[in-house]
Amino acid sequence: MDPKLLEQIVSQVLAAIPNVEQAEKGIPVGVSNRHIHLSAEHIETLFGSGHTLTKEKDLKQVGEFAAKETVTLVGPKGVMRGVRVLGPVRKFTQLEISRTDGFSLGVIPPLRDSGKIQGSPGIVLVGPKGAVTLTEGVICAARHIHMQEADARQLKVADGDRVTVQVNGARGGSFGNVLVRVHPDFRLEFHIDTDEANAAELKNGDMVTLCQVGEK
Amino acid sequence: MDPKLLEQIVSQVLAAIPNVEQAEKGIPVGVSNRHIHLSAEHIETLFGSGHTLTKEKDLKQVGEFAAKETVTLVGPKGVMRGVRVLGPVRKFTQLEISRTDGFSLGVIPPLRDSGKIQGSPGIVLVGPKGAVTLTEGVICAARHIHMQEADARQLKVADGDRVTVQVNGARGGSFGNVLVRVHPDFRLEFHIDTDEANAAELKNGDMVTLCQVGEK
């Protein structure tokens, strides 16, 4: 066979094969501790008129950051200090806590995809300059994977899919009903809360794999 | 066909079929909150000379009970009051806490099967009559299923097997590496800690199913 033709065939075959190396490396885990997204109005009530959030560090998802600001949660059964505010500012305030946090505070949040806060319970937020009596917005975030279009193509999934993630190790197993979220600003990351991380002995940066596509 | 013979055949066929109804019902969940098993010596130090445990209520496992007595845990980072003592008295003191509890207390317990406390960390226990500086015995209990021989035969597993348990629901998935423990005093129950229960939205009495036999 003509060496040039052979080279051309090899090159075309390689181009057609998905990036096996990256797929084998899997999806990095991001563990979400309790945190809050605040509206501009609530930022002013809690931290003072005209206040804007100060960035402490960038998060992996483009544009998202941990702010220097923290709030205190006051529930019917308990108080939690130092709860991190995440920026940028949002249209609606949303507090994301674990089931364990909920039992400590005396608030049972529904399991929800981010942004779907309708009918969720409220809580009292306290900052250095004032308090907000939240009437809704406390959720337990449903596990999800952030990714870009290229990741979605490689993993053979689409935005809105519910997939199953496989975890190895002493507390291994699988997480079902994992929402796939695709956006150009997203970076490949499997987001779980602290209960899920502790139950599976996972920490930030650990790798998991997609094991099958479930129902939408 | 002779009605008597038919009846005999039906009866023999039914007898040969495993108890499908029970198998379909699955295995009931038992969620273990943080608790402690105490040695006789430690009971006396914490609650006074000659003290014996007072039963508050029987647990599902035969002979096991929740005592009226509670202790306070004092770790490098936190304090937890009202931690339940489980009876009967044991040869060695063993404290079982979740990963979440461990972070609050500042103690990172290894994941262990009950009884395997060698090399695990200690903590300070405080009772109404004194304190014990435990040098080892703090573990994060590995998930396990209690059962009798009849259950084991029906589920086609044996004592010491590591199996996988399937969970349905919004936070469904599977728990791998579940230890099977068979004993005449045991009652069928899948024991998990509060992190595992919260991660999978399971509570006492919920039903799970055995989905496959893993490696021993």
Side-chain angles (χ1 to χ4, degrees), chain A residues 72-93:
Chain A
T72 297
L73 311 178
V74 185
K77 284 193 177 177
V79 172
M80 287 184 161
R81 297 173 198 283
V83 175
R84 186 66 52 189
V85 178
L86 298 194
V89 59
R90 291 224 183 158
K91 200 168 175 188
F92 300 103
T93 291

Side-chain angles (χ1 to χ4, degrees), chain A residues 99-100 103 111 140-141 143 169-177 193 195-196 198-199 201, chain B residues 99-100 103 111 140-141 143 169-177 193 195-196 198-199 201:
Chain A
R99 278 263 165 282
T100 300
F103 291 128
L111 188 72
C140 183
R143 49 215 189 197
R171 276 188 151 180
S174 67
F175 289 107
N177 293 320
D193 73 7
D195 285 340
E196 293 169 318
N198 291 335
E201 296 220 303
Chain B
R99 279 263 164 282
T100 300
F103 290 128
L111 188 72
C140 184
R143 49 216 188 196
R171 277 189 150 179
S174 67
F175 289 106
N177 292 322
D193 73 8
D195 285 339
E196 293 168 317
N198 290 335
E201 297 220 299

Side-chain angles (χ1 to χ4, degrees), chain A residues 3 5 32-33 35 41 43 47 58 61 65 73-74 76 78 84 90-91 104-105 135 149 151 157 159 166 193 204 206:
Chain A
L5 181 62
S32 299
N33 201 345
H35 64 271
E41 185 199 337
I43 290 172
F47 300 101
D58 283 312
Q61 303 306 316
F65 62 91
L73 311 178
V74 185
R84 186 66 52 189
R90 291 224 183 158
K91 200 168 175 188
S104 300
L105 292 164
T135 53
E149 269 302 338
D151 302 310
V157 295
D159 187 59
Q166 184 72 31
D193 73 7
N204 277 323
D206 284 349

Side-chain angles (χ1 to χ4, degrees), chain B:
Chain B
M1 191 186 275
D2 172 27
K4 272 249 153 76
L5 181 62
L6 182 63
E7 200 180 307
Q8 203 178 336
I9 292 170
V10 168
S11 148
Q12 284 192 22
V13 167
L14 286 177
I17 295 172
N19 191 341
V20 175
E21 195 193 343
Q22 196 178 327
E24 275 177 356
K25 278 194 310 192
I27 303 166
V29 170
V31 181
S32 300
N33 202 345
R34 67 189 79 102
H35 64 271
I36 192 163
H37 304 276
L38 291 171
S39 69
E41 184 198 339
H42 289 162
I43 290 172
E44 296 211 13
T45 308
L46 294 165
F47 300 100
S49 181
H51 188 91
T52 53
L53 296 177
T54 307
K55 187 186 289 187
E56 179 155 297
K57 65 167 185 176
D58 283 312
L59 299 182
K60 192 169 177 185
Q61 303 307 316
V62 176
E64 299 271 306
F65 63 91
K68 286 197 192 300
E69 289 81 358
T70 63
V71 299
T72 297
L73 311 178
V74 185
K77 285 193 175 175
V79 172
M80 288 185 161
R81 297 174 199 281
V83 175
R84 187 66 49 188
V85 177
L86 298 194
V89 60
R90 291 223 183 159
K91 200 168 176 188
F92 300 104
T93 291
Q94 177 175 296
L95 171 67
E96 299 178 38
I97 60 174
S98 70
R99 279 263 164 282
T100 300
D101 293 337
F103 290 128
S104 300
L105 292 164
V107 174
I108 306 301
L111 188 72
R112 291 284 178 85
D113 297 327
S114 184
K116 298 186 177 168
I117 60 169
Q118 209 183 4
S120 63
I123 198 164
V124 172
L125 312 173
V126 183
K129 294 292 171 67
V132 169
T133 304
L134 211 60
T135 53
E136 69 175 10
V138 185
I139 66 166
C140 184
R143 49 216 188 196
H144 55 276
I145 308 174
H146 290 273
M147 65 179 73
Q148 298 178 59
E149 269 302 337
D151 304 309
R153 273 195 306 274
Q154 194 192 319
L155 294 165
K156 298 185 173 58
V157 295
D159 187 59
D161 279 357
R162 300 275 173 178
V163 299
T164 297
V165 162
Q166 184 71 31
V167 179
N168 294 322
R171 277 189 150 179
S174 67
F175 289 106
N177 292 322
V178 179
L179 177 66
V180 172
R181 299 184 61 198
V182 182
H183 189 278
D185 287 346
F186 288 166
R187 295 295 171 264
L188 189 62
E189 199 169 37
F190 174 46
H191 277 188
I192 52 177
D193 73 8
T194 47
D195 285 339
E196 293 168 317
N198 290 335
E201 297 220 299
L202 288 172
K203 56 185 193 313
N204 277 324
D206 283 349
M207 298 308 257
V208 295
T209 51
L210 211 67
C211 65
Q212 67 186 70
V213 177
E215 73 256 328
K216 279 209 182 190

Side-chain angles (χ1 to χ4, degrees), chain A residues 21-194:
Chain A
E21 194 193 343
Q22 196 176 328
E24 276 178 354
K25 278 196 308 194
I27 302 166
V29 170
V31 181
S32 299
N33 201 345
R34 66 188 80 103
H35 64 271
I36 191 162
H37 305 276
L38 291 170
S39 67
E41 185 199 337
H42 288 163
I43 290 172
E44 296 211 14
T45 309
L46 294 166
F47 300 101
S49 181
H51 188 92
T52 53
L53 296 177
T54 308
K55 187 186 289 187
E56 179 155 298
K57 64 167 186 178
D58 283 312
L59 299 183
K60 191 169 178 187
Q61 303 306 316
V62 176
E64 300 270 307
F65 62 91
K68 285 197 191 303
E69 288 81 359
T70 62
V71 299
T72 297
L73 311 178
V74 185
K77 284 193 177 177
V79 172
M80 287 184 161
R81 297 173 198 283
V83 175
R84 186 66 52 189
V85 178
L86 298 194
V89 59
R90 291 224 183 158
K91 200 168 175 188
F92 300 103
T93 291
Q94 176 176 297
L95 172 66
E96 299 177 38
I97 60 173
S98 70
R99 278 263 165 282
T100 300
D101 293 337
F103 291 128
S104 300
L105 292 164
V107 175
I108 305 301
L111 188 72
R112 292 282 179 85
D113 296 328
S114 185
K116 299 186 176 167
I117 61 170
Q118 209 182 3
S120 63
I123 198 164
V124 172
L125 311 174
V126 184
K129 293 292 172 64
V132 169
T133 304
L134 211 61
T135 53
E136 68 174 11
V138 185
I139 66 166
C140 183
R143 49 215 189 197
H144 55 276
I145 308 175
H146 291 273
M147 64 178 73
Q148 298 179 60
E149 269 302 338
D151 302 310
R153 273 196 305 276
Q154 194 191 319
L155 294 165
K156 299 185 173 58
V157 295
D159 187 59
D161 279 358
R162 300 275 171 177
V163 299
T164 297
V165 161
Q166 184 72 31
V167 179
N168 294 323
R171 276 188 151 180
S174 67
F175 289 107
N177 293 320
V178 179
L179 178 66
V180 171
R181 299 184 60 197
V182 181
H183 188 279
D185 287 347
F186 289 165
R187 295 295 171 263
L188 189 62
E189 200 168 35
F190 174 46
H191 277 188
I192 52 176
D193 73 7
T194 47

